[in-house]
Amino acid sequence: MLTYSLMELMAVAAAREIRDGEVVFAGTGLPMLGAMLAQRAHAPNCVIIFQAGTVASQLAHLPMSVGDPRVMRGAALAAGLLEVFTFVLQAGRVDVGFLSGAHSTATAISTAPRLDSTPPPAGAFCWQWRLLRHRLPG
């Protein structure tokens, strides 16, 4: 009998959503793993774009984050966050995208940028680095 974790199951499910030749927008962690699995298993011609700006990577190892230098392996382009979001994502050139949050509530609200357990006011976002309780790589 095969045993697998929920994380492994989610990575396989994400990979199955990617078709050969599609442009994939991937974030850190599970999204990277799913895109990498698809590229190796059944979609060798998928184009992986990381939110930090790397385009068409050919990953050999799972990077720690989208800012890890390992995402540059075989990349066609090393742009920046602004370029990828402006000229690729917002221009509608992505077929499938996977992003993740550090923690999501039952209502799918990411709690990563919050300073404490109280919900932020509507539309608020805080960049006060020294006050953050959780800091993520990337």
Side-chain angles (χ1 to χ4, degrees), residues 44-66:
N45 298 311
C46 72
V47 177
I48 301 173
I49 299 175
F50 292 111
Q51 66 190 75
T54 307
V55 178
S57 296
Q58 299 294 320
L59 300 174
H61 306 282
L62 184 64
M64 292 291 292
S65 72
V66 294

Side-chain angles (χ1 to χ4, degrees), residues 90-103:
Q90 294 298 317
R93 295 185 171 104
V94 173
D95 296 305
V96 63
F98 298 101
L99 296 176
S100 65
H103 173 75

Side-chain angles (χ1 to χ4, degrees), residues 121-137:
F125 193 81
C126 184
W127 284 98
Q128 295 175 325
W129 180 254
R130 62 183 173 75
L131 300 177
L132 289 175
R133 293 178 61 197
H134 302 285
R135 296 180 183 163
L136 305 175

Side-chain angles (χ1 to χ4, degrees), residues 32-121:
M32 270 185 183
L33 185 57
M36 192 173 169
L37 176 60
Q39 193 175 56
R40 288 186 174 203
H42 65 272
N45 298 311
C46 72
V47 177
I48 301 173
I49 299 175
F50 292 111
Q51 66 190 75
T54 307
V55 178
S57 296
Q58 299 294 320
L59 300 174
H61 306 282
L62 184 64
M64 292 291 292
S65 72
V66 294
D68 189 323
R70 289 179 281 190
V71 301
M72 300 276 299
R73 182 181 180 272
L77 177 66
L81 181 95
L82 178 66
E83 289 83 6
V84 168
F85 274 80
T86 303
F87 301 116
V88 179
L89 184 64
Q90 294 298 317
R93 295 185 171 104
V94 173
D95 296 305
V96 63
F98 298 101
L99 296 176
S100 65
H103 173 75
S104 295
T105 65
T107 57
I109 298 170
S110 176
T111 58
R114 298 222 292 248
L115 299 177
D116 56 51
S117 60
T118 59

Side-chain angles (χ1 to χ4, degrees), residues 1-20:
M1 181 170 125
L2 292 175
T3 59
Y4 48 86
S5 69
L6 183 57
M7 189 70 83
E8 290 166 333
L9 178 64
M10 289 190 302
V12 170
R16 287 182 177 169
E17 295 297 319
I18 300 168
R19 306 287 175 248
D20 198 27

